[in-house]
Amino acid sequence: MKLFNKRFRKIMSRLAILMILGLTALIVLILQPQLMFGKQMDYRTVSIYANEDITAEIEPILDSAISLIAQSELYDPDYHFDVFLAHNTTYNVLDSRLMGSWAAARAIDNNITIKVKTDVRKRLAILEGNQLELTYVIAHEMIHCLQNHVFGKWAFNPLNHPPMWKMEGYPEYIGRARFASMDSSELREEVAFYLQHRPSHELDLLRLDDEHLTPNIYFKGKLMVEFLIEIKGLTYAEILDDERTEQEVWKDMMNWCHR
């Protein structure tokens, strides 16, 4: 019996070590997935990885994305992004199993994973009939990288992060580029559109038009961040420090809209 117990403990110990090593290897691959891609192209402060040929058609998309994030207070001209075109790759399968498959794209540290099919020539990311501007998707995820870079991993991680409207609203605000030409009448129009078309649950999708859907909380967060920056004059850092609840900020915006 003692011999059996000793062998059993030894087997379990080895299994535990193998499990730890396997999990560690998966985490390393998620954070450093370059080895799983056969093609690489470097352009400005971005490295693009894929298993298919990467053409120069992606350069103007990256130019547009960088132009968008350059207008953010978080922008660091020396920060390097790694972009992975991961649709139909083994890495995408691993990422989905570890992190979930619901997202069209994901940002971890300085890595941006585009999980869905991309059409670089048409500048689109395509998810089950929902067409997203590829420039917008990349710029949105770049801002997530910069949130982590500026405020730290302890402030922005899956287990500890600001409220969703603050965390997702700012990348939406930057990625959709409304601030470049926004005035108060256009913001009021967008709020009116949202009030008319918003779904019943904040995690449901809001239909912007026939081909474009977005998570409800993303668009609502964009409106609130837009309001606080454009109308109230706050910085994003001040928005993060603002202790008012989502309901209080929303009420403030509604009062402004109905003036």
Side-chain angles (χ1 to χ4, degrees):
M1 190 67 178
K2 289 182 179 180
L3 181 60
F4 172 80
N5 288 337
K6 185 177 180 180
R7 288 179 176 175
F8 179 77
R9 287 195 298 269
K10 190 174 182 179
I11 291 170
M12 294 304 296
S13 177
R14 288 178 176 175
L15 286 175
I17 291 172
L18 288 174
M19 289 177 64
I20 292 171
L21 289 174
L23 181 59
T24 301
L26 285 175
I27 293 172
V28 169
L29 287 175
I30 290 298
L31 296 178
Q32 300 291 334
Q34 289 85 346
L35 293 176
M36 299 186 69
F37 292 83
K39 307 287 185 178
Q40 176 183 348
M41 186 180 85
D42 297 319
Y43 182 71
R44 297 181 64 176
T45 56
V46 183
S47 294
I48 307 100
Y49 297 86
N51 282 336
E52 299 178 354
D53 290 337
I54 308 166
T55 69
E57 290 176 321
I58 202 168
E59 293 178 0
I61 297 173
L62 297 174
D63 286 332
S64 297
I66 292 171
S67 293
L68 288 173
I69 68 167
Q71 299 176 72
S72 165
E73 69 191 74
L74 307 185
Y75 180 60
D76 179 348
D78 297 321
Y79 188 80
H80 187 87
F81 301 93
D82 288 329
V83 177
F84 301 89
L85 304 181
H87 183 64
N88 280 342
T89 65
T90 301
Y91 173 69
N92 206 21
V93 174
L94 293 175
D95 177 85
S96 296
R97 288 180 178 176
L98 283 178
M99 307 296 293
S101 60
W102 62 271
R106 198 184 326 274
I108 301 177
D109 197 15
N110 72 318
N111 295 340
I112 295 170
T113 304
I114 310 298
K115 298 179 62 61
V116 298
K117 182 181 179 181
T118 56
D119 188 329
V120 173
R121 181 166 297 178
K122 293 182 179 180
R123 298 190 173 196
L124 292 176
I126 304 166
L127 173 62
E128 296 178 356
N130 184 22
Q131 298 185 4
L132 303 171
E133 291 261 352
L134 192 52
T135 293
Y136 148 73
V137 173
I138 293 174
H140 178 109
E141 299 304 329
M142 282 178 165
I143 292 296
H144 277 316
C145 293
L146 291 172
Q147 286 172 328
N148 187 295
H149 173 61
V150 173
F151 300 107
K153 294 179 177 61
W154 291 111
F156 281 87
N157 66 72
L159 299 179
N160 181 56
H161 55 73
M164 283 289 289
W165 72 269
K166 292 185 180 183
M167 182 172 70
E168 296 293 349
Y170 188 67
E172 286 290 289
Y173 169 70
I174 298 295
R176 293 191 182 277
R178 291 295 187 184
F179 65 93
S181 60
M182 176 59 64
D183 62 36
S184 59
S185 64
E186 288 176 332
L187 178 55
R188 284 191 171 98
E189 288 173 4
E190 284 204 320
V191 172
F193 170 86
Y194 176 75
L195 292 174
Q196 182 179 355
H197 296 92
R198 61 181 172 178
S200 58
H201 195 281
E202 288 201 340
L203 295 180
D204 289 341
L205 294 176
L206 171 70
R207 182 171 292 280
L208 300 180
D209 55 42
D210 290 341
E211 294 182 332
H212 297 84
L213 300 167
T214 189
N216 183 23
I217 189 60
Y218 282 36
F219 195 81
K220 181 182 180 182
K222 181 186 83 73
L223 295 177
M224 295 168 70
V225 167
E226 212 166 81
F227 167 71
L228 292 174
I229 291 176
E230 296 292 332
I231 307 303
K232 292 297 186 177
L234 273 62
T235 65
Y236 183 55
E238 289 170 337
I239 291 173
L240 293 177
D241 289 337
D242 190 342
E243 295 183 355
R244 289 181 298 169
T245 65
E246 177 182 336
Q247 291 73 23
E248 289 171 329
V249 174
W250 182 258
K251 182 178 179 181
D252 189 14
M253 187 171 71
M254 289 299 98
N255 289 337
W256 168 79
C257 282
H258 292 102
R259 287 176 190 169

